[in-house]
């Protein structure tokens, strides 16, 4: 087709042909057209055949880099967009794409989309610049954003901000590139100048601000050693002339510009002269690849001697772009970063790119893993370890499956790889899906390649030792046994795990799973046995949830009660101090203040009533628990209703539940043990409650009082919390010795009396007939409530004979008292 278009026969042209030849020309032309069409069809058929060949090659060997490149080129030529996009994604999952391939991909996508969908193209450019340092790729990215982004194109405030951020990123990444960095700076200045043009001349403030912005970019540009510094200086001076400054735009003399800009320029020029010959050596194309590589290494040694890590890193990135699969270069680069930066996102990013570019270099992988470990990588990043081990196992598995004769590998290599992975990853990936995936794959290969069922079971058992609370591990183990038709073994695993505590609803799920298993695989007796076990377990779980709800409700109620008590205590203190400090004049207002105090106390009484309602609700929850226990299991109901409990004290703080079980083993009947712990340290307080089935076992346990346990003589007594509660809050009964009673329960009585003094009146208590209660009471401080009724305060004259006037009945003021004493 191309040959036909390049050599057409023009009608009327003097070709030396006779008339008959001229008549036959259309037939010749039609014949050539048919030949070109047949040639095109042959090319198309040949192209399809090549595509099929490459597809087969990539399916069997996806690591063939050249096959990926050829496949993408053929798809791009044929115009199959969807296949082309998929082929590029598949290649990029295995290898980094070259800058040229990223530019082609982004341009292809931009031609298919409108400006409103430009974000997908931006994402492609972002992926490209993260893999290699390429000045042309950055320039294409910047130009594409200015051309296709509507906000940037219209110079809106958001668009200008977005473009400037992108230019600053480009400058940070590529400004030190000696030979090509000026391309980024020139594009930056052109963008800023384009913003200056549409600004109205009357808007002096905005215009001056933009001029300063351009001047700042120019000055930064002139301070960096680049290849075209002199032309940049001339461009800067010409621009300053346009702004009205008198400079010689055709001279490279720096005396006319500001001193600090001239100093920075001269320093940059000296740095460039020191590197000019090195730049010429690495940019020459008439030398071999090995010679150019050596030139790069010499250049790197020079930059390292200068002591500027930023310049060293930018040169390494430049070299990697030219030698992307050089393992020696990647090793030199990563060693330098390990020595200078130690750890950080920059080092991790370089290692990630190095392992993708040279995945066959084991040292890069090992040092990459060490880098992640030094940087305290997250669980997601540590998954790279798992992928590395699994990739190694995948390769060994394929070689064992496809090899024959003497090339067959020993399966022990796979087992060793799995063991190394498990030893290394288990502490970091405990109870995670990644560790489960590793062990599932391991157990599968033990069965299929190792033909060792016991080894496969050992894999699952080792996982359960470290991840026994992981429901998925038990389920996968059971699924393997069911798949092998080992019903009894699967049932045994169910019996081991159905009573374990799993997160969420996992405990209930495993119980229901066991019942479903027995319905599908078990006998009627097996199903009945499982139903009995599961029913008891589900009841325990339900009771546990009710108790947790009750505890939560109790905690909230207790906190509310304590808050109200603290409030009442503060009110009592404040009211007491107010009464002590008030003067005689303020006593006249006592009646009104007393009313307000009673109103506050009534309000407090309402709050306490709300707490009592909460306690009643809590009691109802506990009654529901007890009723269910009484109905379903009368034996266990004693634990929650009328417990037969022994209180054990003087116990060693190292004693555990097992020690107490063994101590009361000869007695028997122990149903529960609760060791009291310190709420701050969490250690034992040397006290415990031991619940028994009935009174007989309890009596036998109390008979062991004063016996030794772990070197300490225990004190064992029957616990009766209800009786202790009644005694601690009791009040002296008629006929009881008040002194003894106050000695035993004085603190409780005083507390209650204090509470009754605020709020409602305390009930009257009958007095002993032999001795009056108030004889033992000592009045301290201002106990005004105990003042006898028939004693009048100082200043009253009602008892004087002959003075019964109403005026004398009134209490005297302080001034009247002073006058009395002065007169006397």
């Amino acid at each position: 087709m191309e040959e036909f278009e390049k050599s057409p026969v023009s009608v009327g042209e003097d070709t030396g042909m006779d008339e008959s030849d001229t008549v036959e020309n259309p037939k010749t032309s039609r014949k050539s057209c048919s030949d070109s069409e047949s040639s095109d069809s042959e090319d198309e058929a040949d192209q399809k055949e090549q595509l099929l060949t490459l597809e087969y090659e990539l399916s069997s060997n996806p690591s063939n880099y050249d096959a990926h490149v050829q496949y993408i080129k053929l798809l791009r030529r044929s115009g199959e967009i969807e296949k082309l996009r998929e082929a590029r994604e598949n290649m990029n999952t295995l290898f980094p794409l070259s800058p040229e391939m990223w530019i082609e991909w982004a341009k292809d996508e931009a031609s298919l989309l409108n400006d409103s969908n430009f974000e997908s193209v931006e994402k492609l450019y972002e992926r490209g610049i993260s893999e290699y340092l390429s000045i042309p790729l950055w320039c294409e990215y910047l130009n594409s954003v200015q051309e296709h982004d509507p906000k940037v194109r219209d110079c809106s405030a958001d668009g200008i901000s977005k473009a400037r951020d992108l230019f600053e990123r480009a400058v940070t990444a590529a400004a030190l590139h000696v030979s090509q960095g000026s391309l980024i700076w020139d594009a930056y200045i052109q963008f800023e100048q384009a913003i200056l043009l549409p600004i109205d001349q009357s808007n002096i403030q905005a215009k001056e601000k933009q001029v300063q912005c351009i001047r700042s970019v120019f000055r930064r540009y002139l301070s960096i050693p680049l290849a075209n510094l002199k032309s940049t200086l001339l461009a800067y001076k010409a621009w300053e002339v346009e702004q009205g400054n008198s400079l010689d735009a055709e001279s490279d003399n720096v005396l006319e510009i500001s001193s600090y800009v001239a100093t920075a320029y001269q320093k940059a020029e000296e740095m460039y002269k020191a590197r000019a010959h090195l730049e010429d050596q690495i940019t020459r194309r008439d030398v071999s690849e090995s010679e150019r590589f050596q030139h790069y290494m010499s250049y790197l040694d020079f930059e390292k001697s200068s002591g500027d890590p930023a310049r060293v890193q930018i040169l390494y990135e430049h070299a990697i772009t030219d030698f992307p699969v050089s393992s020696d270069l990647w090793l030199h680069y990563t060693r330098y970063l390990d020595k200078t930066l130690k750890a950080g996102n920059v080092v991790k990013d370089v290692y990630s790119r190095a392992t993708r570019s040279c995945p066959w270099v084991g040292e890069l992988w090992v040092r990459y893993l060490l880098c992640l470990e030094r940087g305290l990588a997250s669980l997601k990043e540590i998954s790279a370890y798992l992928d590395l081990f699994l990739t190694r196992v995948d390769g060994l598995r394929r070689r064992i499956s496809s090899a024959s004769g003497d090339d067959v590998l020993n399966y022990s290599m796979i087992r060793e790889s799995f063991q190394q992975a498990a030893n290394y990853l288990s502490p970091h990936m405990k109870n995670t899906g990644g560790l489960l995936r590793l062990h599932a794959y391991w157990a599968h290969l033990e069965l299929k390649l190792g033909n060792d069922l016991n080894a496969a079971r050992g894999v699952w058992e080792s996982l359960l030792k470290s991840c026994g609370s992981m429901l998925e591990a038990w389920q996968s183990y059971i699924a393997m046994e069911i798949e092998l038709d080992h019903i009894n073994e699967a049932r045994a695993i169910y019996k081991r795990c159905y009573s374990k505590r799993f997160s969420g609803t996992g405990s209930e799920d495993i119980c229901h799973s066991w019942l479903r298993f027995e319905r599908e695989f078990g006998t009627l007796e097996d199903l009945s046995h499982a139903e009995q076990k599961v029913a008891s377990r589900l009841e325990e779980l339900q009771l546990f949830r009710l108790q947790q709800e009750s505890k939560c409700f109790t905690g909230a109620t207790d906190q509310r009660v304590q808050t109200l008590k603290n409030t009442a205590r503060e009110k009592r203190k404040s009211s007491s101090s107010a009464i002590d400090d008030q003067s005689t004049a303020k006593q006249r207002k006592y009646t009104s203040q007393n009313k307000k105090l009673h109103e506050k106390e009534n309000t407090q009484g309402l709050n306490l009533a709300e707490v009592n309602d909460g306690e009643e609700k809590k009691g109802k929850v506990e009654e529901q628990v007890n009723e269910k226990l009484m109905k379903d299991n009368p034996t266990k109901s004693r634990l929650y209703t009328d417990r037969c409990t022994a209180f054990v004290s003087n116990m060693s703080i190292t004693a555990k539940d097992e020690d107490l079980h063994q101590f009361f083993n000869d007695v028997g009947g122990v149903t529960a043990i609760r060791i009291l712990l310190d709420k701050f340290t969490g250690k034992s307080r040397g006290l415990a409650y031991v619940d028994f089935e009935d009174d007989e076992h309890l009596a036998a346990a109390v008979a062991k009082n004063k016996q030794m346990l772990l070197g300490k003589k225990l004190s064992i007594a029957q616990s009766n919390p209800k009786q202790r509660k009644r005694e601690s809050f009791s009040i002296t009964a008629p006929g009881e010795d008040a002194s003894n009673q106050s000695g035993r329960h004085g603190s409780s009585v005083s507390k209650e009396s204090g509470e009754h003094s605020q709020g409602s009146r305390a009930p009257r208590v009958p007095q002993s007939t032999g001795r009056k209660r108030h004889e033992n009471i000592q009045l301290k401080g201002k106990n005004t409530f105990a003042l006898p009724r028939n004693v009048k305060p100082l200043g009253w004259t009602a008892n004087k004979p002959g003075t019964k006037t109403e005026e004398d009945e009134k209490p005297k003021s302080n001034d009247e008292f002073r006058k009395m004493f002065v007169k006397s």
Side-chain angles (χ1 to χ4, degrees):
M1 189 70 179
E2 292 179 357
E3 294 178 356
F4 174 73
E5 292 177 352
K6 288 180 181 178
S7 57
V9 178
S10 302
V11 178
E13 185 179 357
D14 186 8
T15 59
M17 297 181 182
D18 55 12
E19 189 176 352
S20 60
D21 293 334
T22 305
V23 175
E24 292 179 356
N25 273 340
K27 295 183 179 180
T28 305
S29 178
R30 284 194 298 270
K31 182 178 180 181
S32 62
C33 287
S34 61
D35 291 341
S36 63
E37 290 176 358
S38 62
S39 176
D40 289 343
S41 61
E42 290 176 1
D43 292 342
E44 186 176 353
D46 185 40
Q47 185 173 318
K48 288 183 179 180
E49 184 177 355
Q50 292 181 18
L51 287 173
L52 292 175
T53 304
L54 290 171
E55 288 175 358
Y56 176 78
E57 172 64 22
L58 292 175
S59 63
S60 59
N61 184 17
S63 299
N64 190 336
Y65 183 90
D66 293 332
H68 279 287
V69 174
Q70 294 298 325
Y71 186 52
I72 290 173
K73 286 183 178 179
L74 287 175
L75 288 175
R76 191 166 186 263
R77 189 182 303 169
S78 63
E80 298 186 35
I81 302 302
E82 294 299 330
K83 282 189 175 183
L84 176 61
R85 187 180 291 124
E86 183 181 359
R88 282 166 167 164
E89 292 288 355
N90 292 336
M91 182 179 180
N92 192 229
T93 56
L94 299 173
F95 308 102
L97 304 183
S98 65
E100 293 76 16
M101 296 180 71
W102 281 114
I103 293 174
E104 285 183 354
W105 191 357
K107 286 184 175 181
D108 291 344
E109 295 293 340
S111 63
L112 298 173
L113 301 174
N114 53 32
D115 294 345
S116 60
N117 298 326
F118 183 65
E119 293 181 359
S120 60
V121 180
E122 286 183 282
K123 292 179 181 178
L124 290 177
Y125 278 116
E126 289 289 339
R127 290 168 60 182
I129 61 177
S130 66
E131 292 190 340
Y132 291 115
L133 174 62
S134 173
I135 305 301
L137 180 59
W138 267 110
C139 291
E140 289 291 340
Y141 187 12
L142 294 168
N143 293 333
S144 182
V145 169
Q146 295 179 73
E147 180 181 355
H148 296 287
D149 192 309
K151 294 181 180 179
V152 178
R153 190 174 53 212
D154 297 338
C155 291
S156 65
D158 294 339
I160 293 174
S161 176
K162 176 182 177 180
R164 280 176 177 165
D165 292 341
L166 188 59
F167 271 110
E168 288 296 331
R169 287 177 55 200
V171 165
T172 303
L176 299 180
H177 196 292
V178 177
S179 59
Q180 298 180 344
S182 58
L183 298 176
I184 303 293
W185 286 107
D186 290 339
Y188 197 177
I189 290 176
Q190 291 175 7
F191 170 75
E192 295 293 349
Q193 289 177 340
I195 297 176
L196 178 62
L197 291 176
I199 298 178
D200 189 49
Q201 296 294 332
S202 60
N203 194 348
I204 300 176
Q205 184 177 0
K207 188 175 181 63
E208 181 62 26
K209 182 179 179 181
Q210 186 60 26
V211 167
Q212 292 297 332
C213 182
I214 298 173
R215 183 175 288 117
S216 174
V217 176
F218 260 122
R219 290 174 176 177
R220 290 165 61 192
Y221 187 2
L222 292 170
S223 65
I224 298 175
L226 298 174
N228 57 344
L229 273 177
K230 289 186 177 180
S231 60
T232 305
L233 177 63
L234 295 175
Y236 170 61
K237 295 176 72 174
W239 179 80
E240 287 287 3
V241 170
E242 292 178 0
Q243 308 310 313
N245 298 318
S246 59
L247 297 175
D248 186 2
E250 297 180 359
S251 173
D252 58 355
N253 189 357
V254 297
L255 298 177
E256 298 177 338
I257 60 178
S258 60
S259 59
Y260 71 91
V261 177
T263 303
Y265 172 79
Q266 290 172 347
K267 183 179 179 180
E269 191 174 26
E270 292 175 0
M271 292 176 65
Y272 173 72
K273 289 178 179 179
R275 293 164 174 79
H277 68 286
L278 296 172
E279 283 290 331
D280 292 338
Q281 290 176 348
I282 65 174
T283 55
R284 288 175 58 185
R285 297 300 175 182
D286 57 346
V287 297
S288 63
E289 292 293 321
S290 60
E291 291 179 346
R292 195 149 62 95
F293 182 83
Q294 292 301 324
H295 292 323
Y296 264 115
M297 301 308 295
S298 300
Y299 196 174
L300 286 166
D301 291 337
F302 172 80
E303 288 292 359
K304 290 177 183 178
S305 64
S306 300
D308 189 350
R311 301 197 65 84
V312 176
Q313 187 179 356
I314 205 76
L315 184 57
Y316 266 121
E317 292 290 345
H318 188 183
I320 283 170
T321 305
D322 289 343
F323 298 95
V325 292
S326 173
S327 58
D328 292 337
L329 186 58
W330 281 111
L331 288 170
H332 278 88
Y333 188 12
T334 52
R335 285 171 187 158
Y336 174 77
L337 292 178
D338 284 337
K339 188 182 298 183
T340 55
L341 298 182
K342 302 294 183 182
N345 293 330
V346 175
V347 184
K348 287 193 297 184
D349 175 67
V350 173
Y351 268 114
S352 176
R353 293 156 53 202
T355 51
R356 294 185 68 225
S357 299
C358 303
W360 59 86
V361 182
E363 185 179 353
L364 284 174
W365 282 104
V366 172
R367 289 165 54 191
Y368 181 24
L369 300 182
L370 294 175
C371 171
L372 290 176
E373 189 173 1
R374 281 194 299 267
L376 301 176
S378 63
L379 182 61
K380 182 178 180 180
E381 292 174 317
I382 291 177
S383 62
Y385 290 78
L386 178 62
D387 293 336
L388 175 60
F389 283 114
L390 293 180
T391 302
R392 167 67 173 165
V393 172
D394 291 342
L396 294 174
R397 176 188 60 79
R398 285 190 288 266
R399 291 185 62 181
I400 291 177
S401 301
S402 59
S404 60
D406 297 335
D407 295 333
V408 177
L409 298 177
N410 191 347
Y411 175 74
S412 61
M413 296 181 64
I414 292 181
R415 184 176 292 141
E416 291 174 0
S417 299
F418 273 122
Q419 191 63 56
Q420 291 175 359
N423 293 339
Y424 194 88
L425 296 176
S426 293
H428 303 283
M429 303 181 67
K430 189 175 181 181
N431 294 324
T432 61
L435 198 61
L436 175 61
R437 172 189 169 195
L438 174 70
H439 284 78
Y441 191 16
W442 187 2
H444 173 74
L445 293 186
E446 289 287 356
L447 286 174
K448 300 301 180 182
L449 295 182
N451 296 319
D452 192 341
L453 176 60
N454 291 329
R457 288 172 176 166
V459 171
W460 286 115
E461 293 294 340
S462 64
L463 176 63
L464 294 178
K465 285 182 181 179
S466 60
C467 304
S469 61
M470 189 176 182
L471 176 63
E472 293 80 3
W474 291 95
Q475 291 175 333
S476 300
Y477 190 8
I478 293 170
M480 184 194 77
E481 296 290 357
I482 294 176
E483 184 179 357
L484 297 174
D485 202 23
H486 296 161
I487 304 304
N488 292 331
E489 287 76 6
R491 181 179 294 112
I493 301 173
Y494 271 120
K495 291 180 179 180
R496 289 170 55 190
C497 70
Y498 86 97
S499 60
K500 289 187 174 294
R501 181 67 55 83
F502 299 107
S503 61
T505 60
S507 301
E508 290 86 349
D509 294 341
I510 199 67
C511 290
H512 295 307
S513 177
W514 186 13
L515 292 178
R516 186 167 57 254
F517 166 80
E518 294 295 355
R519 284 196 297 268
E520 295 175 0
F521 300 99
T523 63
L524 184 60
E525 291 77 10
D526 294 330
L527 179 60
S528 300
H529 177 73
E531 287 177 344
Q532 182 180 1
K533 293 289 187 181
V534 167
S536 176
R537 176 59 177 161
L538 292 177
E539 290 173 1
E540 292 177 1
L541 293 172
Q542 185 178 3
L543 289 173
F544 175 77
R545 295 187 186 282
L546 286 173
Q547 291 172 11
Q548 292 299 111
E549 294 175 0
S550 177
K551 287 181 180 179
C552 294
F553 190 83
T554 302
T557 304
D558 293 343
Q559 185 177 4
R560 174 70 171 163
V561 171
Q562 187 63 33
T563 303
L564 291 174
K565 287 182 178 179
N566 293 338
T567 305
R569 190 178 297 112
E570 293 297 329
K571 288 180 178 179
R572 288 196 299 271
K573 289 181 180 179
S574 60
S575 62
S576 176
S577 60
I579 293 174
D580 293 342
D581 297 337
Q582 64 185 350
S583 62
T584 307
K586 292 182 180 179
Q587 289 181 0
R588 299 174 183 177
K589 302 180 181 179
Y590 177 79
T591 304
S592 61
Q593 292 178 353
N594 197 23
K595 290 181 180 180
K596 295 180 179 179
L597 183 61
H598 279 296
E599 291 175 358
K600 293 181 180 179
E601 291 170 353
N602 292 335
T603 304
Q604 181 182 341
L606 293 176
N607 294 334
L608 289 173
E610 294 177 0
V611 175
N612 292 333
D613 293 340
E615 292 180 348
E616 290 179 2
K617 293 180 181 178
K618 170 198 166 186
K620 291 181 180 179
V621 174
E622 294 178 349
E623 289 177 3
Q624 293 177 1
V625 176
N626 293 333
E627 289 176 1
K628 185 167 184 60
L629 281 168
M630 288 290 290
K631 179 180 178 181
D632 299 337
N633 198 336
T635 303
K636 292 185 179 181
S637 64
R638 296 183 60 86
L639 297 176
Y640 300 90
T641 54
D642 188 13
R643 292 181 177 176
C644 296
T645 305
F647 178 68
V648 182
S649 59
N650 196 35
M651 189 174 63
S652 173
I653 61 174
T654 61
K656 307 295 182 183
D657 291 357
E658 296 79 6
D659 300 323
L660 290 175
H661 267 295
Q662 187 175 0
F663 180 78
F664 290 110
N665 191 28
D666 56 341
V667 175
V670 177
T671 59
I673 294 177
R674 302 182 302 284
I675 296 178
L676 304 185
L677 304 178
D678 188 272
K679 65 179 181 179
F680 298 105
T681 64
K683 297 181 179 180
S684 172
R685 295 169 54 191
L687 307 173
Y689 288 101
V690 183
D691 297 335
F692 294 89
E693 293 181 353
D694 49 36
D695 295 333
E696 295 179 0
H697 290 89
L698 175 61
V702 174
K704 299 190 68 174
N705 185 31
K706 303 302 181 183
Q707 293 189 16
M708 302 293 293
L709 174 63
L710 298 179
K712 301 201 71 173
K713 188 181 294 185
L714 300 183
S715 296
I716 307 173
Q718 182 178 358
S719 175
N720 193 347
K722 294 183 179 180
Q723 181 65 24
R724 287 201 308 272
K725 185 175 180 180
R726 285 196 299 268
E727 290 176 356
S728 62
F729 289 97
S730 63
I731 305 176
T732 307
E736 188 177 1
D737 190 353
S739 61
N740 295 336
Q741 185 72 8
S742 62
R744 285 179 296 174
H745 310 296
S747 60
S748 299
V749 173
S750 62
K751 180 178 180 181
E752 286 193 351
S753 63
E755 293 181 21
H756 284 302
S757 65
Q758 300 289 335
S760 60
R761 291 175 178 266
R764 286 186 174 272
V765 181
Q767 303 293 327
S768 174
T769 56
R771 185 180 299 175
K772 292 185 179 180
R773 183 181 178 90
H774 64 267
E775 291 178 1
N776 293 328
I777 298 178
Q778 296 180 1
L779 299 180
K780 297 180 180 180
K782 294 182 178 294
N783 293 296
T784 58
F785 67 91
L787 188 68
R789 300 274 184 182
N790 58 351
V791 179
K792 299 296 183 179
L794 185 63
W796 285 76
T797 58
N799 294 334
K800 295 182 180 180
T803 56
K804 296 183 180 180
T805 62
E806 183 178 357
E807 181 179 359
D808 292 332
E809 293 294 332
K810 296 181 181 179
K812 296 183 180 297
S813 64
N814 291 339
D815 295 335
E816 292 174 343
F817 272 112
R818 292 191 189 94
K819 293 178 181 179
M820 291 171 60
F821 286 111
V822 171
K823 290 178 180 181
S824 60

